[in-house]
Amino acid sequence: LERAHVFGASMGGMIAQHLALEDRASVRSLTLACTTPGGRGGLPPWRLMATAALRPVLGTRRTFPLVAPALYAQSTLKERRARVREDFERRLEDSTSPLTVYAQMGAIAGHDTRSRLRELEGLPTLVVHGLEDNLVPPDRGRELAALIPGAHLELIPRCGHLLTTDAEEQVAGAIVAHLAAAAETAAEEPGYAA
């Protein structure tokens, strides 16, 4: 594809920022979910660190309850246990090795696009973030949206880091509205081809 609507969540949102900055001409619109512009030191949340350390010994099933409060909204954990169980089983099928998790944490620690995000001015950008995200706090989403001129920020109540588990309809609605607005804006540009 010459141009595409790009969506990235969490670490994927960091990758999507780099893609848009390095090859802006190929990005038709950008959606950044539960992610950060980076640049702040410090350790990841203790629940994530403990889970990463204990998983090789105890296994994913036994460490999941430790990390779950960092991933889901409290209401999801209490009121939608079947949904969390379904989500866990789906993620278990595509489990990441502990070495990959450590490599990911290293890459995330080195991520910092803050000084360049103004270069994305004019690119239709949506930043969507859960207000109960305990892995990437909502203030990081607010900061990300503020650093991209013209970005739209959508904060989802009763929603943690796993947006599509906690608030599937609200998140999908925000993304569909963003894509429709981006398509409308593109159609108004001279030389537009669908």
Side-chain angles (χ1 to χ4, degrees):
L1 297 175
E2 288 183 26
R3 295 184 76 215
H5 298 281
V6 175
F7 173 90
S10 195
M11 183 178 177
M14 298 172 205
I15 295 167
Q17 291 169 55
H18 287 281
L19 172 65
L21 288 165
E22 298 307 318
D23 191 11
R24 166 125 181 215
S26 68
V27 179
R28 191 170 278 202
S29 75
L30 186 61
T31 301
L32 303 169
C34 56
T35 193
T36 171
R40 293 195 181 158
L43 295 173
W46 73 267
R47 288 181 178 278
L48 184 63
M49 296 289 287
T51 300
L54 293 172
R55 195 172 101 194
V57 177
L58 299 177
T60 304
R61 287 192 186 279
R62 293 179 67 195
T63 56
F64 180 73
L66 180 62
V67 76
L71 302 175
Y72 302 94
Q74 286 301 309
S75 59
T76 301
L77 290 171
K78 290 177 184 173
E79 301 164 13
R80 301 176 63 209
R81 292 179 186 197
R83 178 73 168 130
V84 172
R85 194 169 27 260
E86 174 191 344
D87 189 54
F88 169 73
E89 293 299 331
R90 196 171 280 149
R91 291 173 189 282
L92 190 60
E93 291 172 10
D94 190 27
S95 190
T96 305
S97 79
L99 289 177
T100 301
V101 172
Y102 298 134
Q104 288 174 329
M105 284 195 265
I108 289 167
H111 167 73
D112 187 352
T113 55
R114 293 174 301 162
S115 66
R116 295 194 58 203
L117 288 172
R118 67 183 172 280
E119 297 172 30
L120 299 180
E121 183 172 6
L123 178 65
T125 302
L126 169 67
V127 176
V128 61
H129 214 103
L131 282 171
E132 291 184 38
D133 190 336
N134 292 314
L135 196 58
V136 179
D139 283 346
R140 301 311 317 268
R142 288 181 182 102
E143 178 186 14
L144 179 62
L147 288 169
I148 303 171
H152 174 71
L153 175 63
E154 187 79 32
L155 295 170
I156 311 289
R158 294 175 50 113
C159 184
H161 191 69
L162 298 180
L163 300 165
T164 56
T165 301
D166 283 338
E168 186 175 15
E169 289 182 22
Q170 295 95 320
V171 172
I175 294 169
V176 168
H178 168 65
L179 294 174
E184 187 176 303
T185 300
E188 295 170 359
E189 294 174 6
Y192 169 76

